[in-house]
Each structure stands twice: as C-alpha cells, then as structure tokens.
Amino acid sequence: MAEGDNRSTNLLAAETASLEEQLQGWGEVMLMADKVLRWERAWFPPAIMGVVSFVFLTIYYLDPSVLSGVSCFVMFLCLADYLVPILAPRIFGSNKWTTEQQQRFHEICSNLVKTRRRAMGWWKRLFTLKEEKPKMYFMTMIISLAAVAWVGQQVHNLFLTYLLVTFALLLPGLNQHGIISKYIGMAKREINKLLKQKEKKNE
C-alpha cells in the first residue's frame, strides 16, 4: 500500500515537473490569471463578467459561421502560443520572479495535473461501467444526452455557452471565498429539515 502511494506521489511530481517545463514561458501570465480567477481584488469578478460579455456580444454581432468561428479561435490560440512566451518576460520582467511566485506556479501546475488525472479517472470509470453494467451505462447516457439536447433546444446556443463560460471562470473565485460550500451547506440543512419533517409525519 505504501509502495503504491509512493509510486503515485512520484508520478504526480514527475508529471508536475514536466508540465512546469512546458508552461515555463506562460508563468507570468498564469500567475496573473490565477490572481484574477481567485478574486484577489474586489473588482475582478465584475471585470471577468465584463470581458466575457464583451466577447460574446462581439460574436453575436458578427454572427460568424461555425467554420469561421473555429478557425479564428484556433488562430488566436496559435498567436498566443507564439507571442506570450516572447512578450511576457518583457512586460512582467523575468528578473522579478520570486520564490513565492515559483511556489505558486508549482501549485498551479500540480492542480492542473490533478484535474487532468481526475478527468481521466471519470473517463475510465465510465468505460468500466459500460463493461460491468452495460444496461445502466446506456440508460444513463441516453437520459443524460436527452436532457442536454432538451436544454440546448430550449436555450440559445450562444447564450448557453456564455453562461457556461462565465460560470467556469467564476468557479475558482467562488471556491476560494467559500461561497459554493456555504450554499451547499444551506441546501443540505434544508434537505435534512424536510426529511425530518417527513419522518415526523410518517410517525
């Protein structure tokens, strides 16, 4: 058991180190994005919503085709991948890189690796469910996809994407400030109250 834990820890450290090396040119940008996403200042949340709203309003106004939209998005990623490692040190100053910043960069990369592992774990569980309980797998997939298709039919695609992107960008800050855990706790207490009331009625 201990050997398995040590092997997993060593593998996590190796993957984190590899990711740090790959993203070294993006270090300053990632640290700045991390501060914004964790709401280190009070005006960061409205700034996030403002930028996202501006981008989606621009897309709505231009109304590009799917092919044009995908091409522009990939082109933007290619430009960012080329220009950010060149411009970031000049803008932020690589000589200002401190031990604290290096530690935070390591934590970000470690969290990214853990998130990737978690996603792969859910993917493997899905295929395990398919092999062990094929009926449950197909029923779950059909019901889930039908629900998603219904939501997509009821809500405009661009607006739905806007809501999802906004929520995804606000999620780290919501977690950091304990807002999600607060409302989850409130929901659990309300559910427990309802269950207790139901038990009293049955008695």
Side-chain angles (χ1 to χ4, degrees), residues 86-121:
I86 298 174
L87 298 178
R90 298 180 182 179
I91 296 173
F92 297 99
S94 57
N95 58 334
K96 297 180 181 178
W97 192 260
T98 63
T99 305
E100 183 180 352
Q101 289 174 318
Q102 182 62 41
Q103 179 62 28
R104 184 56 195 165
F105 179 64
H106 175 76
E107 291 174 2
I108 294 171
C109 292
S110 178
N111 290 334
L112 289 174
V113 171
K114 291 176 182 177
T115 301
R116 182 175 63 186
R117 282 187 163 197
R118 200 174 294 119
M120 292 299 296

Side-chain angles (χ1 to χ4, degrees), residues 15-171:
E15 290 179 9
T16 302
S18 175
L19 186 61
E20 284 183 36
E21 185 177 353
Q22 294 173 19
L23 298 177
Q24 195 63 45
W26 287 75
E28 293 87 353
V29 176
M30 290 176 64
L31 288 176
M32 180 59 65
D34 177 65
K35 291 180 181 179
V36 173
L37 294 176
R38 290 190 296 115
W39 306 356
E40 288 198 354
R41 295 187 181 180
W43 57 270
F44 282 161
I48 292 172
M49 296 184 67
V51 171
V52 174
S53 299
F54 174 77
V55 170
F56 276 87
L57 282 173
T58 304
I59 295 172
Y60 178 76
Y61 176 76
L62 296 175
D63 192 22
S65 65
V66 175
L67 185 60
S68 298
V70 172
S71 298
C72 290
F73 180 70
V74 175
M75 181 174 62
F76 174 78
L77 291 180
C78 291
L79 285 172
D81 186 51
Y82 176 73
L83 293 175
V84 167
I86 298 174
L87 298 178
R90 298 180 182 179
I91 296 173
F92 297 99
S94 57
N95 58 334
K96 297 180 181 178
W97 192 260
T98 63
T99 305
E100 183 180 352
Q101 289 174 318
Q102 182 62 41
Q103 179 62 28
R104 184 56 195 165
F105 179 64
H106 175 76
E107 291 174 2
I108 294 171
C109 292
S110 178
N111 290 334
L112 289 174
V113 171
K114 291 176 182 177
T115 301
R116 182 175 63 186
R117 282 187 163 197
R118 200 174 294 119
M120 292 299 296
W122 280 105
W123 188 256
K124 289 178 181 178
R125 287 191 191 98
L126 190 63
F127 279 93
T128 302
L129 181 65
K130 180 182 177 182
E131 292 176 359
E132 296 178 354
K133 300 178 180 179
K135 292 182 179 179
M136 181 181 292
Y137 166 80
F138 284 112
M139 286 296 297
T140 303
M141 291 299 294
I142 289 171
I143 293 172
S144 301
L145 293 174
V148 172
W150 181 82
V151 172
Q153 189 66 26
Q154 302 301 315
V155 185
H156 192 280
N157 290 335
L158 189 62
F159 181 66
L160 184 61
T161 307
Y162 166 76
L163 293 177
L164 292 174
V165 171
T166 303
F167 177 74
L169 293 177
L170 292 177
L171 184 60

Side-chain angles (χ1 to χ4, degrees), residues 1-15 117:
M1 187 70 178
E3 290 183 4
D5 292 339
N6 290 335
R7 192 181 298 111
S8 178
T9 303
N10 292 336
L11 185 59
L12 176 63
E15 290 179 9
R117 282 187 163 197

